[in-house]
Amino acid sequence: MEFSSLAILIVVLVTALVVFGVLSYARQRRKNDERRQAFARLAAGTGLQYIAEDKSYAQRFNDREKPFQRGGKARNILAGSYRGRPVCAFEYGYTTSSYNGTTTTTHTYHFAIWVVALPTAVPLFTVGSEGVFGGKMAAAMGFRRLDIGDPVFDDRFKIKCDNEPFGRRVLHPAVIDLLRQTGPWNWRFSGQNMISYEQGMFEPGNALPRLNLMCDLIDRIPADAWRP
């Protein structure tokens, strides 16, 4: 009798786990479908093209800078012309694994990526948050910093550029004023693209605000900054 009761309990538990798994999968699939539909509506309203998934996008903008990794994938892609510039935005993800001798642990990372084409190819120029250690610590660690001489600004932003004359041209007062208003956010000029990223899922409501911010910043850069 006890064995029979235990068997019934095991069957009930297994059944419950299976049902829970099926319901969770269905719920996640429904959520993904709703997100895809929201992206498709956004694309239709802005003249952009919506692409559910395309592996090539994970590679064509991979400049070996953060957050791009080997084996990354791109989905929920918006691409086309926006404010007179070629742009794209997409959800980027990659999975890492580690083995401790007995078990393998995997972790998947998600990022939102935005790309706006520049007038011409330029040297690598990156801007991000300075972090808790401040500018002096970054310099001591070997970062090739570019400061503007304002201690408050320099302590908030970590700016790196291997071509200082170009970097100085980019840091026009209008650009600096915009950055002061927005606070630090991750972006860079890489080749012929401006690339920005943010960790987390790419949501439809976040697509246009970042593209607009990037276009606003590019508009503030003097035309002679793009000349060799």
Side-chain angles (χ1 to χ4, degrees):
M1 189 68 175
E2 292 182 359
F3 176 78
S4 178
S5 298
L6 180 60
I8 293 173
L9 178 60
I10 292 174
V11 170
V12 170
L13 289 175
V14 170
T15 302
L17 289 173
V18 170
V19 171
F20 178 78
V22 171
L23 291 177
S24 296
Y25 174 78
R27 185 165 52 250
Q28 185 61 47
R29 185 170 181 177
R30 183 169 61 253
K31 184 178 180 180
N32 290 338
D33 287 343
E34 291 172 352
R35 291 180 71 242
R36 284 193 287 266
Q37 292 169 10
F39 277 114
R41 289 193 297 270
L42 177 62
T46 56
L48 297 172
Q49 179 186 10
Y50 172 66
I51 306 168
E53 188 168 349
D54 187 337
K55 294 180 180 179
S56 69
Y57 277 81
Q59 299 302 321
R60 71 178 66 181
F61 302 109
N62 187 345
D63 57 358
R64 300 183 180 181
E65 297 286 329
K66 190 176 181 180
F68 294 111
Q69 300 284 333
R70 175 182 288 185
K73 297 181 180 180
R75 64 178 183 175
N76 290 325
I77 303 155
L78 300 171
S81 178
Y82 185 73
R83 288 180 55 172
R85 295 183 174 93
V87 305
C88 71
F90 55 92
E91 183 178 312
Y92 178 80
Y94 63 87
T95 300
T96 62
S97 61
S98 59
Y99 181 67
N100 64 6
T102 56
T103 59
T104 299
T105 302
T106 62
H107 188 84
T108 300
Y109 298 86
H110 298 279
F111 293 87
I113 306 288
W114 295 266
V115 182
V116 178
L118 297 175
T120 187
V122 297
L124 182 65
F125 178 94
T126 68
V127 179
S129 174
E130 182 54 77
V132 297
F133 294 111
K136 292 182 179 179
M137 178 63 74
M141 293 173 64
F143 289 116
R144 194 164 182 179
R145 292 181 50 86
L146 190 61
D147 294 333
I148 68 168
D150 179 341
V152 175
F153 184 91
D154 294 335
D155 280 344
R156 292 189 70 195
F157 293 88
K158 180 170 64 182
I159 301 176
K160 297 186 292 181
C161 184
D162 290 337
N163 186 316
E164 184 171 341
F166 170 71
R168 296 292 178 191
R169 293 197 299 271
V170 169
L171 291 175
H172 185 273
V175 172
I176 293 173
D177 286 344
L178 178 63
L179 293 178
R180 285 192 174 113
Q181 295 171 28
T182 64
W185 46 288
N186 294 305
W187 61 274
R188 63 180 175 268
F189 292 159
S190 181
Q192 201 161 351
N193 296 306
M194 179 179 184
I195 301 174
S196 183
Y197 68 90
E198 188 173 282
Q199 187 164 4
M201 300 293 287
F202 180 39
E203 299 296 344
N206 297 335
L208 297 187
R210 180 60 59 92
L211 285 178
N212 280 317
L213 179 56
M214 295 166 72
C215 289
D216 288 345
L217 189 144
I218 295 172
D219 287 343
R220 284 164 169 74
I221 297 175
D224 62 2
W226 310 114
R227 296 168 188 159

